């Protein structure tokens, strides 16, 4: 069974990563154009990431596991992987503001 699942996991990871990363960059810039204020950094960061991570979880889980498990188990995989990613996304917000503060004080550079 592992030999059949491994290619699906690899393919699911690659496709989900590409789609979610392109979406995340696009969504971040879209939100930034609509809400350019630096006060909205949290919304750009979390809004783009939360939606992109939902796409990532749905695409990965579908390619890797759909049809291998009962529907209930499949949905639990999707939900739990998304919730873990969402918690991490929200928890990184203070670090975005820390990096912004450090950049404004020339403690770090853009490159």
């Amino acid at each position: 069974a592992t030999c059949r699942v491994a290619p699906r996991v690899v393919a699911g990871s690659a496709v989900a990563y590409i789609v979610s990363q392109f979406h995340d960059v696009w969504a971040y810039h879209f939100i930034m154009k609509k809400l350019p204020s630096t006060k909205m950094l949290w919304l750009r960061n979390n809004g783009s990431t939360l939606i992109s991570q939902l796409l990532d979880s749905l695409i990965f889980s579908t390619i890797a596991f759909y049809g291998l498990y009962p529907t209930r188990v499949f949905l639990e995989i999707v939900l739990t992987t998304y919730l873990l990613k969402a918690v991490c996304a929200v928890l990184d917000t203070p670090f975005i503001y820390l990096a912004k503060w450090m950049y404004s004080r020339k403690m770090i550079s853009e490159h």
Side-chain angles (χ1 to χ4, degrees):
T2 304
C3 293
R4 292 185 304 169
V5 176
R8 289 179 65 163
V9 169
V10 171
S13 294
V15 172
Y17 176 79
I18 291 167
V19 171
S20 66
Q21 288 304 303
F22 275 108
H23 181 272
D24 192 40
V25 171
W26 173 84
Y28 184 90
H29 289 291
F30 178 82
I31 296 168
M32 187 169 66
K33 285 180 184 175
K34 299 291 183 188
L35 302 167
S37 169
T38 58
K39 292 178 183 178
M40 292 296 165
L41 178 59
W42 67 272
L43 183 61
R44 289 194 295 271
N45 181 55
N46 289 320
S48 65
T49 301
L50 290 172
I51 294 168
S52 298
Q53 291 302 334
L54 178 60
L55 285 172
D56 186 87
S57 296
L58 286 170
I59 293 168
F60 169 75
S61 298
T62 300
I63 293 172
F65 304 121
Y66 185 78
L68 297 178
Y69 298 102
T71 302
R72 182 171 177 257
V73 173
F74 169 74
L75 293 174
E76 287 175 3
I77 292 169
V78 172
L79 180 64
T80 56
T81 56
Y82 177 67
L83 288 176
L84 180 61
K85 292 172 186 178
V87 167
C88 290
V90 171
L91 290 177
D92 82 359
T93 301
F95 297 101
I96 296 294
Y97 279 94
L98 175 62
K100 180 180 173 271
W101 178 81
M102 291 173 71
Y103 178 76
S104 72
R105 303 287 187 285
K106 308 231 185 291
M107 297 167 75
I108 57 174
S109 68
E110 192 172 318
H111 302 293

